[in-house]
Structure formats: C-alpha cells, structure tokens
Amino acid sequence: MIQWEEHSGQLVAEMLFRDFSEAFSFVQIIAQLAEDADHHPDLNWRYNKLRIALSTHDLGGIVSEKDRLLASRIDSAYAAFT
C-alpha cells in the first residue's frame, strides 16, 4: 500500500522503484487511471523515484473526494503491480 500524506492542499505520495523501466511502467498505469477518471495528478519522476500529488484544481487546489478516489485506484494498481 502506498503511504499518502496531506500537504498544503495536496494528497502526496513518494515511491521508489527498482529501476527506470519499472518506474516508467507504473507511470503509464497512472496515466491510464487518470484518463479514465478525467482527473490528472502532478507527477514528478526521476529515474526510479516518483512523486504523485493530487488536488482538485477546479475547487481551488484542495483535496477532494476525486483525489481520494484516484489515490485508492492508484493503491489498488500498485498492489497488483508489485
């Protein structure tokens, strides 16, 4: 399970993968989940490190139910991925 924390109006998680390819594969999974939800996280990806930040820009950049739902879907995808 991913460790999510709330910081400055964002739901944030940081993850470490074995290598570049594994991180890239998971970024692709997140991209599809985001497209399906029509709710897109901010991603910061460096080699094998990934930072995900969720907030609802339409509501002024706060954490909403949309963010929590997408975080839950990312959690489920990560559990199946690892």
Side-chain angles (χ1 to χ4, degrees):
M1 184 172 197
I2 299 170
Q3 185 69 29
W4 293 94
E5 296 181 11
E6 205 164 325
H7 294 285
S8 303
Q10 295 182 318
L11 199 52
V12 177
E14 295 184 357
M15 307 166 71
L16 189 62
F17 295 89
R18 285 188 309 234
D19 55 27
F20 178 86
S21 294
E22 186 175 78
F24 178 69
S25 294
F26 197 66
V27 166
Q28 289 179 302
I29 290 168
I30 293 171
Q32 188 59 59
L33 292 171
E35 284 296 305
D36 292 346
D38 193 27
H39 190 59
H40 302 90
D42 294 327
L43 301 175
N44 185 336
W45 168 38
R46 300 269 196 284
Y47 185 67
N48 69 333
K49 297 176 184 174
L50 176 62
R51 181 181 186 272
I52 307 166
L54 296 165
S55 67
T56 303
H57 303 288
D58 297 357
L59 299 175
I62 63 167
V63 175
S64 74
E65 188 58 32
K66 288 176 81 170
D67 303 303
R68 295 188 194 289
L69 182 58
L70 184 54
S72 176
R73 290 180 177 157
I74 293 170
D75 277 342
S76 295
Y78 184 71
F81 184 79
T82 55

